[in-house]
Amino acid sequence: MCGIIGYVGPRDAREVIISGLRRLEYRGYDSAGIAVVADGKLSVAKKAGKLANLEAELATLDFPVAHQGIGHTRWATHGGPTDENAHPHVSADGRVAVVHNGIIENFAELRAELTQAGVEFNSETDTEVAAHLLAAELQASGNLIDAMRAVVERLQGAFTLVAVDVARSGEVIAARRNSPLVVGVGDGENFVASDVLAFIEHTRDVVELGQDQIVRITANEIEVVGFDGEPAETKRYHVDWDTSAAEKSGFDWFMRKEIFEQPQAVADTLLGRFNSKGELVLDEMRGISPEDLRRINKIVIVACGTAYYAGMVAKYAIEHWTRVACEVEVASEFRYRDPIIDPQTLVVTISQSGETADTLMAIRHARVQGAKVIAICNTNGATIPRESDAVIYTHAGPEIGVASTKGFLTQLAACYLLGLYLAQVRGMKYADEIRVITDELERTPQMVQQMLDGADRIYELAHDLAKAEDFIFLGRHVGYPVALEGALKLKEIAYQHAEGFAAGELKHGAIAIIEPGMPVFVVVPPEGRDQLRDKVVSNIKEVKARGAYTIVLVEEGDDSIEADADVIIRLPHLSTLLQPMVATVPLQLFACELATLLGHDVDQPRNLAKSVTVE
């Protein structure tokens, strides 16, 4: 999860690194630190708490101007958020400083070995092991790449390591396995970081770093080798968004800004997906042939958190449009239950960051079984799309808020595109049938905007319910994952007890928790699915009879629920399968405003990080 940056170049390394850490703080924020090399000496500063604490500390220090350094913002795995556990970690001889993202699974054995050899540890972290090992290897070889190669061969787990050596002026070394790392290519300066956000104000030219690779950067050189020491091929790409896309643009929170960016994000995701004949064209799917897709007899979607709920919506759409059996799996459980996967299985993975460790491990397990893998992802050059056979990019732009919003809606849009493409390739729908659905899908950005135009009323509702302690969300069919997502948003950023239920299941036990005045949000299916809709109306009556305060999301013109609704939130007319595109938006707005009223940090909620790169 942690945020990492390394820099070599003519600028003041401290300024470059601190600026980069500000943009990376979404990845972890329980401590931060920096190390620079100047005049053959290593200078280190690190503090528990948010980056502001480190900046305050630096203001009191006579920190040298340097042109080579590394920095880190932490999401704790080993050891609590203390000054001692903050990165960088320095070797016993003071020669090497290391920052790390991931988990070194065999650190206990390595620590015991080093302790027996007389090394004294100053932290509880697994990272400090790597610093001591790297220093020992440097004493033996004197070559930074060879020393890093020797260290990574001894490590088990997921890691990105970035290091500086006081004896190697103007160099930064980094290695990655199962953890994100990108290289920024500047003019007379170079960068490494866990996300392009860290250096995007300086360059938008990026080198993909592959699995099990080591990179050494100087101001004018980038050298990449595999863990085996052989030179590695690299691929450069250009990031098509700039620093302004990562700023708040006048909003109080990045999350609120990202909620309001959703109409454009969805439109961008849908852009250029059709040819002159009106057929769906997914250029990124070239890694899987139409023949492969026609042989598929089962689809398995694997994802985590909010992306998992997008997968639940996708299941309804894909099965309806293609008549192919579709399962949705929590990625962290997938490979541990010995799933039945074969070459006729299509595995679809959904990840905003493209670095989610649980999802990445699921991909690798599926590919060993011979399955084809399609990734739905927002991050060009990330590990998950690189290790998949094909990818559908969501084009949402940077999402800084830890709780996903525009990531979710664009994932939904991509899932719909995939389902329709499968129906087209497999001959389950004619072109005119697909066009009817895609025409409706292309109207969703303006419908999302319509929901945003009514934000003030949702904010008033948040004020009215600011003292509530328990919330229930109900839905059926695709309204069920919407309910789960609404509950998750309250948990993530408002720290409120919230539960999402399939509405029909409430009477099988959970209705016992309904108390007078308890807020219950209910998503009502559109008219046209009358049997389904009528069942949900009955569920509203059930909770209302027990004193619930009912907030009902229902399409415009449907007045059948007025007698049982304390609050009505009107939704634009959309077919049932597409309704989540608009029904989710007021729940996002409600969670954001309630968290703000309660005084919480909406962008950086406690205990969470944006990109979960450990299992």
Side-chain angles (χ1 to χ4, degrees):
M1 260 76 84
C2 311
I4 287 173
I5 181 171
Y7 173 73
V8 183
R11 305 175 197 267
D12 184 341
R14 179 178 68 172
E15 294 182 1
V16 172
I17 290 166
I18 294 298
S19 176
L21 291 180
R22 288 193 199 103
R23 299 186 188 281
L24 292 176
E25 201 173 11
Y26 73 94
R27 298 182 65 89
Y29 34 84
D30 61 40
S31 61
I34 181 174
V36 300
V37 176
D39 300 324
K41 295 180 180 179
L42 184 65
S43 298
V44 178
K46 51 186 187 174
K47 290 294 289 183
K50 292 192 175 183
L51 182 61
N53 293 354
L54 174 63
E55 292 182 273
E57 175 76 3
L58 286 169
T60 68
L61 300 175
D62 184 19
F63 214 69
V65 173
H67 304 290
Q68 163 192 5
I70 57 176
H72 189 271
T73 181
R74 181 174 183 253
W75 186 85
T77 55
H78 291 75
T82 65
D83 292 353
E84 293 77 15
N85 289 331
H87 299 212
H89 291 284
V90 179
S91 59
D93 60 6
R95 176 174 177 175
V96 170
V98 174
V99 294
H100 166 224
N101 175 30
I103 292 178
I104 299 171
E105 294 176 353
N106 62 332
F107 92 100
E109 302 95 296
L110 295 171
R111 182 178 178 125
E113 174 189 316
L114 289 164
T115 300
Q116 189 172 9
V119 174
E120 294 185 6
F121 282 78
N122 297 308
S123 75
E124 303 168 273
T125 69
D126 53 346
T127 307
E128 193 179 351
V129 164
H132 295 309
L133 288 175
L134 186 58
E137 293 296 338
L138 278 169
Q139 288 180 355
S141 71
N143 182 287
L144 203 49
I145 287 181
D146 289 344
M148 182 63 83
R149 283 182 54 218
V151 170
V152 296
E153 287 300 322
R154 301 199 63 193
L155 304 183
Q156 297 172 11
F159 52 82
T160 291
L161 297 171
V162 182
V164 289
D165 171 15
V166 293
R168 306 290 296 185
S169 176
E171 292 186 15
V172 169
I173 189 85
R176 75 167 294 251
R177 168 176 283 171
N178 298 331
S179 192
L181 186 67
V182 291
V183 181
V185 184
D187 183 8
E189 59 184 354
N190 288 305
F191 310 77
V192 291
S194 46
D195 192 314
V196 296
L197 275 175
F199 50 71
I200 198 167
E201 65 183 301
H202 306 297
T203 182
R204 288 189 281 166
D205 291 319
V206 181
V207 171
E208 292 181 2
L209 204 66
Q211 177 77 323
D212 287 358
Q213 289 185 348
I214 296 170
V215 59
R216 182 186 67 88
I217 64 169
T218 68
N220 298 296
E221 184 183 2
I222 297 170
E223 180 183 3
V224 181
V225 301
F227 281 8
D228 59 3
E230 293 299 315
E233 292 186 9
T234 60
K235 178 182 177 182
R236 285 179 63 158
Y237 63 94
H238 187 76
V239 177
D240 58 3
W241 44 266
D242 57 23
T243 53
S244 64
E247 301 299 338
K248 290 182 182 176
S249 301
F251 288 92
D252 54 347
W253 302 110
F254 279 112
M255 179 180 175
R256 201 186 306 270
K257 171 179 175 279
E258 288 153 10
I259 291 171
F260 278 83
E261 288 175 338
Q262 288 179 123
Q264 187 62 54
V266 172
D268 289 345
T269 300
L270 299 174
L271 188 66
R273 303 296 191 177
F274 311 99
N275 64 18
S276 59
K277 300 177 183 178
E279 297 171 327
L280 263 172
V281 179
L282 302 183
D283 289 336
E284 308 103 311
M285 293 287 290
R286 283 177 290 203
I288 302 179
S289 70
E291 290 73 23
D292 290 330
L293 296 177
R294 284 191 279 269
R295 284 195 293 267
I296 296 301
N297 61 22
K298 183 174 71 171
I299 298 169
V300 180
I301 300 172
V302 291
C304 305
T306 287
Y308 174 76
Y309 301 147
M312 291 178 68
V313 174
K315 171 184 169 67
Y316 287 101
I318 289 172
E319 287 192 340
H320 181 72
W321 292 332
T322 70
R323 309 311 299 160
V324 177
C326 184
E327 303 171 4
V328 188
E329 296 268 1
V330 175
S332 58
E333 291 291 324
F334 177 69
R335 66 184 176 128
Y336 298 107
R337 70 167 188 82
D338 192 21
I340 300 172
I341 302 294
D342 60 32
Q344 280 70 54
T345 303
L346 176 66
V347 174
V348 179
T349 65
I350 308 174
S351 169
Q352 187 272 337
S353 69
E355 302 291 350
T356 310
D358 291 313
T359 308
L360 180 58
M361 295 303 107
I363 286 175
R364 291 174 179 169
H365 181 80
R367 297 200 68 176
V368 168
Q369 308 305 314
K372 293 290 187 180
V373 178
I374 296 174
I376 292 175
C377 182
N378 188 48
T379 308
N380 189 353
T383 305
I384 286 174
R386 290 210 308 271
E387 295 198 16
S388 300
D389 297 292
V391 59
I392 301 175
Y393 284 113
T394 54
H395 302 296
E399 188 178 63
I400 308 302
V402 167
S404 181
T405 51
K406 65 176 179 177
F408 179 65
L409 252 61
T410 54
Q411 286 166 356
L412 289 179
C415 286
Y416 293 136
L417 291 172
L418 174 60
L420 291 169
Y421 182 75
L422 290 171
Q424 175 179 287
V425 167
R426 295 171 66 90
M428 296 304 297
K429 284 192 175 296
Y430 294 112
D432 57 342
E433 294 176 299
I434 292 174
R435 192 67 216 185
V436 168
I437 302 169
T438 56
D439 283 348
E440 185 180 26
L441 189 57
E442 288 185 308
R443 292 195 297 273
T444 56
Q446 66 193 60
M447 295 180 182
V448 172
Q449 185 60 55
Q450 181 179 330
M451 300 307 301
L452 295 171
D453 291 342
D456 287 345
R457 187 156 179 268
I458 306 301
Y459 296 159
E460 290 174 8
L461 178 63
H463 283 255
D464 293 341
L465 298 178
K467 293 185 179 180
E469 296 181 349
D470 301 281
F471 296 83
I472 300 296
F473 293 76
L474 303 178
R476 284 182 183 254
H477 197 261
V478 292
Y480 172 37
V482 172
L484 292 170
E485 173 65 5
L488 179 61
K489 285 293 160 283
L490 277 188
K491 296 172 191 173
E492 284 180 308
I493 62 174
Y495 315 148
Q496 295 295 293
H497 175 244
E499 298 286 347
F501 293 102
E505 285 296 295
L506 197 67
K507 60 183 176 291
H508 295 292
I511 200 168
I513 67 175
I514 300 294
E515 295 180 345
M518 178 182 287
V520 178
F521 289 78
V522 188
V523 183
V524 179
E527 291 186 293
R529 293 298 300 269
D530 292 341
Q531 184 180 27
L532 180 65
R533 180 182 151 281
D534 291 346
K535 296 296 184 186
V536 176
V537 171
S538 296
N539 298 138
I540 297 172
K541 292 180 181 294
E542 290 166 0
V543 296
K544 186 65 177 175
R546 289 157 178 83
Y549 184 77
T550 53
I551 304 106
V552 180
L553 287 70
V554 63
E555 72 175 351
E556 298 163 341
D558 186 345
D559 300 325
S560 62
I561 47 77
E562 287 190 347
D564 297 302
D566 292 295
V567 175
I568 297 176
I569 299 173
R570 293 294 182 184
L571 305 176
H573 291 287
L574 269 177
S575 60
T576 300
L577 286 170
L578 301 189
Q579 192 189 53
M581 295 290 288
V582 293
T584 305
V585 177
L587 305 184
Q588 297 170 338
L589 291 166
F590 179 80
C592 184
E593 185 67 10
L594 185 62
T596 302
L597 292 171
L598 296 176
H600 301 314
D601 188 331
V602 172
D603 288 335
Q604 296 178 352
R606 67 190 184 197
N607 302 332
L608 299 179
K610 183 66 176 175
S611 180
V612 185
T613 56
V614 295
E615 288 189 274

